[in-house]
Amino acid sequence: MEEWKVIRKVSNRRTLGTVWLVERKVMSPTGYDIERGYFKFANVKTQKYIGPLAATELIAYRLAQVINLPVAEIRLVKVGEQIGAVSLIKQAQPLYHWRQLSSRVLHDIPNLIKDSERLLNAFVFDIWICNFDRHGRNAIAYSTGDKYDFYLIDHGLSLAGALQRVKNPWNDPFWDNKVSFKYLKGTRHYIKSYDRLEPYVKQIQNIQFKNMEEDKSLTSITSIVDSIPHHFLPSKTKTILKNFLFHRQQKLPEIVQRVVKKRFN
Ligand SMILES: Nc1ncnc2c1ncn2[C@@H]1O[C@H](COP(=O)(O)OP(=O)(O)OP(=O)(O)O)[C@@H](O)[C@H]1O
Ligand SMILES: [Mg+2]
């Protein structure tokens, strides 16, 4: 497991835990590069509220990769004596929280955000994994010259994080009926039509539950959940998450249509 060192404490939230800025040196042909990231872990107290945090972040990252969503790379790492997840920082400067983008940009998303269709994909993905936390600090934007590119961060309150926080069992109708998903500022106009979301619903429905042959490529729900080391995620929780993801995948058209109807009409 990679060894990282702490630069500084970034935030200290009683229920959700501390986030640390960390770095490590990596050898490169020209000497050393510095990799930086944000590190978080669940201790006994925070685990009570948000469950197996590092595993949740890693599963969300790997699922997002299957559908080509831009998400910060997550690695399970050790910082001092603590194991947890690091979210790698993109080497672009400056980085902005989505909510820092100017209204000029937010009013002209199709022209000023690169591949802005990915925002529709992200909205559907958040509904699938039950991420209730897509506020304006959980997407990072950076300039690419004439446009802004972006990536998503912080999926700690999705999947096992959401189930642990709310406490309703995974198969409680509560989850199918929940519509209070956040969306990024400026996107309301684009995500309010189900027709535009449907291709991304289908894309998620096309993710295999299990691959027939041994799946080292991490492209099925089963291989992604089962790839998490057992000390980060007990097998009982793995079974729950596979059921939860499969159930929401099957019901996704209905669930997304309900969100659209109740939130936007
Ligand atoms: N990969 C990344 N690239 C850039 N910034 C990041 C990245 N990961 C985390 N951050 C920064 O660290 C902050 C805290 O990280 P994160 O959102 O994962 O934790 P959190 O405690 O759940 O925060 P919040 O309450 O803001 O949602 C982010 O708001 C962002 O500023
Ligand atoms: Mg956050």
Side-chain angles (χ1 to χ4, degrees):
M1 194 173 288
E2 293 168 6
E3 295 263 354
W4 293 63
K5 77 171 207 276
V6 173
I7 309 296
R8 65 184 160 84
K9 204 185 225 188
V10 179
S11 73
N12 197 358
R13 297 201 301 153
R14 200 172 49 82
T15 50
L16 302 186
T18 311
V19 179
W20 309 81
L21 182 63
V22 296
E23 70 173 30
R24 71 168 191 144
K25 276 185 180 168
V26 275
M27 287 248 258
S28 76
T30 52
Y32 284 106
D33 283 339
I34 301 285
E35 265 186 339
R36 288 209 169 86
Y38 289 88
F39 176 72
K40 41 171 130 158
F41 59 88
N43 58 33
V44 176
K45 205 159 141 212
T46 53
Q47 184 126 357
K48 227 174 83 194
Y49 296 99
I50 44 168
L53 182 58
T56 301
E57 291 277 9
L58 187 57
I59 292 172
Y61 161 64
R62 289 190 171 152
L63 291 171
Q65 276 194 306
V66 179
I67 53 169
N68 293 316
L69 268 178
V71 175
E73 183 178 344
I74 298 290
R75 295 208 206 124
L76 299 181
V77 306
K78 195 168 172 199
V79 177
E81 286 309 301
Q82 195 62 58
I83 51 172
V86 72
S87 164
L88 295 195
I89 303 172
K90 182 111 194 156
Q91 298 215 342
Q93 283 297 335
L95 298 175
Y96 304 95
H97 288 134
W98 184 270
R99 67 170 189 186
Q100 293 176 296
L101 291 173
S102 67
S103 56
R104 178 185 74 90
V105 176
L106 297 178
H107 281 116
D108 195 9
I109 283 178
N111 288 316
L112 296 178
I113 299 291
K114 188 173 168 242
D115 297 336
S116 59
E117 284 278 311
R118 292 176 300 169
L119 293 161
L120 304 173
N121 193 0
F123 184 62
V124 175
F125 177 70
D126 280 340
I127 297 174
W128 180 37
I129 66 167
C130 256
N131 178 22
F132 297 116
D133 207 27
R134 184 68 64 211
H135 56 64
R137 277 173 292 124
N138 283 339
I140 304 291
Y142 56 96
S143 170
T144 58
D146 53 343
K147 293 192 181 198
Y148 286 90
D149 204 342
F150 72 93
Y151 63 94
L152 307 170
I153 61 164
D154 192 1
H155 300 91
L157 281 181
S158 68
L159 298 171
L163 289 164
Q164 179 77 22
R165 196 102 197 271
V166 177
K167 301 269 186 317
N168 295 40
W170 73 268
N171 52 0
D172 190 308
F174 167 87
W175 295 105
D176 288 359
N177 291 321
K178 186 113 175 122
V179 295
S180 56
F181 292 92
K182 295 180 183 132
Y183 51 88
L184 293 171
K185 199 168 170 196
T187 62
R188 181 189 169 91
H189 182 65
Y190 308 100
I191 60 178
K192 69 178 184 187
S193 134
Y194 181 73
D195 289 349
R196 296 201 59 183
L197 301 177
E198 196 176 24
Y200 304 104
V201 170
K202 291 209 164 119
Q203 183 175 237
I204 287 172
Q205 290 201 296
N206 283 335
I207 299 175
Q208 286 191 309
F209 181 68
K210 197 179 167 96
N211 284 349
M212 283 307 129
E213 64 272 27
E214 197 192 358
D215 183 11
K216 291 220 169 67
S217 62
L218 301 180
T219 52
S220 72
I221 292 172
T222 301
S223 66
I224 288 172
V225 174
D226 288 346
S227 71
I228 308 297
H230 70 268
H231 52 281
F232 281 97
L233 194 65
S235 65
K236 212 172 97 193
T237 317
K238 286 185 182 175
T239 304
I240 290 172
L241 286 184
K242 285 183 274 186
N243 284 333
F244 191 50
L245 282 163
F246 182 69
H247 173 85
R248 292 184 71 77
Q249 183 192 39
Q250 299 306 301
K251 290 223 163 174
L252 200 55
E254 191 187 304
I255 293 172
V256 174
Q257 280 174 47
R258 185 178 297 116
V259 173
V260 167
K261 193 164 155 224
K262 297 221 168 133
R263 294 290 320 260
F264 303 115
N265 291 318

